[in-house]
Amino acid sequence: MSRPKSYDRQEAVERACQAFWAHGYTALGVRALEQMTGLNKFAIRTEFSGKEGLYLEALRLYAERAAQFAVEPLKAGGLDQVEEFFQGLVGGSSPMSSRFGCLMVNTGIENAELKSPALEEVSTVYWSMLYRAFEAALQTGREDGALKRDLDLAEAAQGLVTAVMGIHTMNRVSGRDDGGAALVGLIRDLLASWRT
């Protein structure tokens, strides 16, 4: 008969998400993860198939929260929602604003060296989701007559995704949740230039 779990799985994944977000994947050893999550080494190995498996669960949780709080409203809106999305990346008005930057951006940077296909796949799904949300919001702006007709929506959406990465990187580098505020200002000006 197996022993009952001494931890709440969802709570452990949430703690792992915060730990990886703050410290990164490579820097966190299993012992530190045990202390920060309440999991023991055996649980990390058997419940999550090891450290990378726990990290993947944390990334999925992060992506779900981002979709719920930021991406879904963006996808359902227009240019005003694009501007609100960017403003939410700095200054703490959104769960996506953090002095640690973005867990997905941080993962991409670390994975440039790690070269984990599993981490690459989760990151790609996340950035594709954001790209599609920007494209949908821009299309809504065009249909509403708020967006210039000659704007290349695919190119604009990709540029906005890249700007999100830069803003989060500046937040992380500065150690402040508003480190990317100057870039947000530039994006607001850019959005204004796209309006009819």
Side-chain angles (χ1 to χ4, degrees):
M1 188 167 113
S2 62
R3 287 186 330 193
K5 293 179 183 176
S6 61
Y7 58 89
D8 178 279
R9 191 179 198 283
Q10 181 65 24
E11 186 178 308
V13 172
E14 289 190 26
R15 288 181 180 167
C17 185
Q18 292 301 316
F20 286 124
W21 197 356
H23 302 284
Y25 176 75
T26 308
L28 278 180
V30 174
R31 192 165 283 153
L33 275 171
E34 288 179 290
Q35 293 172 343
M36 293 178 184
T37 63
L39 296 168
N40 61 37
K41 183 169 47 176
F42 179 78
I44 292 171
R45 187 174 64 248
T46 58
E47 181 80 19
F48 301 99
S49 301
K51 179 182 167 183
E52 185 176 274
L54 178 58
Y55 191 38
L56 289 167
E57 287 284 326
L59 288 169
R60 289 184 190 106
L61 175 65
Y62 182 90
E64 287 168 15
R65 295 244 167 96
Q68 178 184 359
F69 292 111
V71 177
E72 287 305 317
L74 174 64
K75 194 165 53 174
L79 285 179
D80 289 341
Q81 283 68 38
V82 173
E83 189 169 332
E84 285 174 23
F85 175 90
F86 275 96
Q87 195 56 50
L89 298 180
V90 294
S93 62
S94 161
M96 306 316 297
S97 173
S98 171
R99 66 188 176 96
F100 301 125
C102 167
L103 184 57
M104 291 295 179
V105 170
N106 301 346
T107 298
I109 292 168
E110 281 197 271
N111 203 40
E113 190 169 319
L114 295 170
K115 302 194 184 332
S116 162
L119 296 178
E120 176 69 27
E121 181 181 347
V122 171
S123 294
T124 299
V125 168
Y126 179 84
W127 294 114
S128 295
M129 171 184 70
L130 185 57
Y131 169 85
R132 288 190 308 273
F134 279 133
E135 196 173 41
L138 294 172
Q139 182 62 42
T140 298
R142 175 169 284 165
E143 290 166 4
D144 291 346
L147 187 70
K148 291 180 178 174
R149 304 285 316 164
D150 61 347
L151 185 71
D152 183 321
L153 298 188
E155 186 178 285
Q158 189 56 57
L160 294 175
V161 169
T162 304
V164 170
M165 294 175 178
I167 291 161
H168 282 305
T169 300
M170 288 307 300
N171 284 359
R172 178 82 185 194
V173 167
S174 69
R176 298 187 345 249
D177 65 0
D178 64 348
L183 184 48
V184 170
L186 288 174
I187 294 301
R188 274 199 314 264
D189 292 345
L190 179 65
L191 292 171
S193 76
W194 291 351
R195 291 181 184 270
T196 53

